[in-house]
Amino acid sequence: MPRGSTGQRAVTTARLLESAAEVFAERGFNGASIGMICERGGFTRGAFYSNFASKDELFFAMFEAHADVLLTRLRTALEQASGASDPLQHFASLASRHSDNDRQWFLISTEFTLYAIRNPAAAAALARKDEEVRQEIGRIFTELLARAGRELVIDPALVGRFAVALREGGNAQEFVEPGSLDARLMERLILPAVLDAFSRDRSEPPGGSREIDRP
């Protein structure tokens, strides 16, 4: 790929995201200033504003990058679990693996969520982004269950909410109580049970006792 303004812009954007992740995790979203982020990365404010209009826009770029990594991990787990004797359990074992930056992202996303709760415009934008991720998680679960000969009896995006709540709740407890809780074990135990509880064998006729109305 030829070097030029496009390539340099990509490098600058990546370095700004890296610097912002460090400062947000250390200072919190409100406590981190654009000046701090620029200083950490060795940039001027002009470099920041040539890439992002605000801290909010910067956060959502980080959100999208994190979501891409998460969804890629889930799609890979889906493919690898397809031929397993217990695909739901195998999927949960693969999908529950955590990465080295999970703690950092938890701090950043939690801080931004608190900020968004107090700021309606940020809350609306975050809700849209969250819904996009939940819908994709729901599609992955739907495909996983189909390969296991099952189908959901509730809205797939609602199961996506369960999965996100399980991951974030487990992380919160593990980070507060290091060494006393294994959040990955919680996911391996609970996620297959949730998927099984809210699905049915595809050979069952619709309208059976496990059918649950979509909210």
Side-chain angles (χ1 to χ4, degrees):
M1 181 176 178
R3 297 178 61 85
S5 59
T6 300
Q8 186 58 45
R9 181 182 180 86
V11 171
T12 300
T13 299
R15 287 177 58 194
L16 281 169
L17 290 173
E18 182 180 349
S19 300
E22 294 173 1
V23 178
F24 284 162
E26 293 170 8
R27 301 275 187 161
F29 183 79
N30 278 325
S33 68
I34 291 174
M36 290 176 185
I37 295 169
C38 292
E39 182 179 357
R40 179 67 59 93
F43 293 108
T44 64
R45 287 176 177 269
F48 179 93
Y49 285 112
S50 69
N51 287 271
F52 303 103
S54 64
K55 284 198 303 180
D56 286 34
E57 185 176 297
L58 172 61
F59 168 81
F60 284 118
M62 296 168 64
F63 181 103
E64 290 175 1
H66 177 80
D68 285 344
V69 171
L70 170 64
L71 294 173
T72 297
R73 182 195 304 171
L74 295 182
R75 293 186 192 104
T76 300
L78 169 65
E79 294 306 319
Q80 294 178 352
S82 295
S85 57
D86 186 346
L88 302 189
Q89 185 61 61
H90 194 61
F91 174 86
S93 296
L94 295 170
S96 65
R97 294 174 181 172
H98 290 202
S99 62
D100 293 339
N101 69 345
D102 277 354
R103 184 178 184 277
Q104 183 187 68
W105 176 248
F106 179 82
L107 291 170
I108 295 168
S109 59
T110 300
E111 289 272 0
F112 189 86
T113 299
L114 294 174
Y115 161 77
I117 290 171
R118 299 183 180 94
N119 294 269
L126 180 59
R128 288 193 297 271
K129 294 291 186 182
D130 281 340
E131 178 62 14
E132 291 172 4
V133 174
R134 287 194 299 267
Q135 290 287 347
E136 185 57 31
I137 292 174
R139 283 189 282 270
I140 292 170
F141 287 161
T142 298
E143 179 61 25
L144 172 67
L145 287 163
R147 297 184 187 190
R150 303 186 65 79
E151 61 184 5
L152 287 168
V153 295
I154 62 173
D155 183 357
L158 183 56
V159 185
R161 284 186 183 271
F162 293 157
V164 171
L166 176 60
R167 167 60 63 97
E168 293 183 351
N171 279 344
Q173 294 179 61
E174 184 173 289
F175 296 144
V176 170
E177 308 172 56
S180 64
L181 176 73
D182 185 347
R184 288 165 291 184
L185 176 61
M186 287 179 59
E187 289 187 54
R188 292 195 298 270
L189 291 173
I190 298 173
L191 183 58
V194 169
L195 291 172
D196 182 71
F198 293 109
S199 66
R200 68 179 178 206
D201 191 296
R202 297 181 75 178
S203 64
E204 294 178 11
S209 60
R210 301 186 74 184
E211 189 74 29
I212 300 175
D213 290 337
R214 178 173 176 168

